[in-house]
Amino acid sequence: VGRPEVAEAFNVGKSQAIIVTIADKAEANRAVISLRRMYPETRIFARAADADHAERLQRTLDVAAMVPIVPEDNVLLTLPFGGAVLRTLGAAPEEVNAILEAKRKDVLMERGLAETEEEAILLQLGILKEEDIDKQKEKAQAPPTKAKAPKAAKPPEKTSSDVVDAEITDQAQEE
């Protein structure tokens, strides 16, 4: 971004805002300083390495700086930042919320954390946990267990009266 022709090629001068998401503190500083010089009236949003860095960017360069508070590899963590940018640019809160909700659902479904829209909503609300879905998937993938056949009923033990009845029946048949 240090070269004006690069910024011009991307029509940065026509933008309503500039967003800098560089993780390296020194690189982010260079980019923000360069952009502020080239575009003094354009709003700049920047990622900061820590609270001190954010405060310095805001105070010295008039930049809206935010510090990520969780691991970088989670797309879901970028959504609040994007929402803040959209609201600052004048987007209606309802529209911003709808966009963020749709993106959350997409991400959860892409990652296989939710297979249905209902699961995605339950995950977002904290009603359903990832572990619950994992357990459901394990159960669904487990080979079906063979149902045990009911044990054959043991023939009732013969009592002395049964033996006598059988003998009488045998004698009657012989006659």
Side-chain angles (χ1 to χ4, degrees):
V1 186
R3 297 187 342 225
E5 62 271 13
V6 173
E8 288 171 17
F10 287 99
N11 293 316
V12 174
K14 296 179 183 177
S15 67
Q16 292 181 21
I18 300 167
I19 302 171
V20 178
T21 60
I22 301 169
D24 181 76
K25 188 176 181 177
E27 290 295 321
N29 286 342
R30 280 194 278 284
V32 170
I33 290 167
S34 176
L35 289 164
R36 178 52 69 219
R37 283 183 187 147
M38 289 187 276
Y39 307 102
E41 301 302 317
T42 305
R43 294 192 113 190
I44 298 176
F45 295 87
R47 173 187 182 154
D50 52 42
D52 181 54
H53 184 221
E55 191 274 326
R56 281 186 284 138
L57 286 171
Q58 291 169 352
R59 184 174 32 84
T60 61
L61 296 168
D62 189 29
V63 171
M66 295 168 222
V67 181
I69 54 173
V70 285
E72 299 173 20
D73 63 343
N74 194 336
V75 173
L76 294 174
L77 302 175
T78 64
L79 294 179
F81 184 85
V85 171
L86 291 172
R87 282 194 242 3
T88 301
L89 295 175
E94 300 82 25
E95 184 180 0
V96 172
N97 291 341
I99 291 168
L100 297 180
E101 183 179 337
K103 187 60 182 173
R104 271 188 213 99
K105 286 179 192 174
D106 290 347
V107 169
L108 291 171
M109 292 175 86
E110 283 174 12
R111 291 184 177 181
L113 297 177
E115 292 189 15
T116 66
E117 189 171 327
E118 181 181 349
E119 283 180 350
I121 292 168
L122 293 174
L123 275 167
Q124 287 179 40
L125 295 174
I127 296 170
L128 190 60
K129 305 267 187 266
E130 287 181 39
E131 300 82 43
D132 298 334
I133 292 177
D134 290 341
K135 286 177 187 174
Q136 290 173 358
K137 287 180 183 177
E138 286 173 11
K139 284 181 185 177
Q141 292 174 352
T145 56
K146 292 184 180 180
K148 293 182 181 177
K151 292 183 180 179
K154 291 182 182 178
E157 293 185 25
K158 294 185 179 180
T159 63
S160 57
S161 62
D162 291 333
V163 173
V164 171
D165 288 342
E167 288 176 359
I168 294 171
T169 305
D170 288 342
Q171 287 175 358
Q173 287 176 353
E174 290 176 359
E175 293 177 3

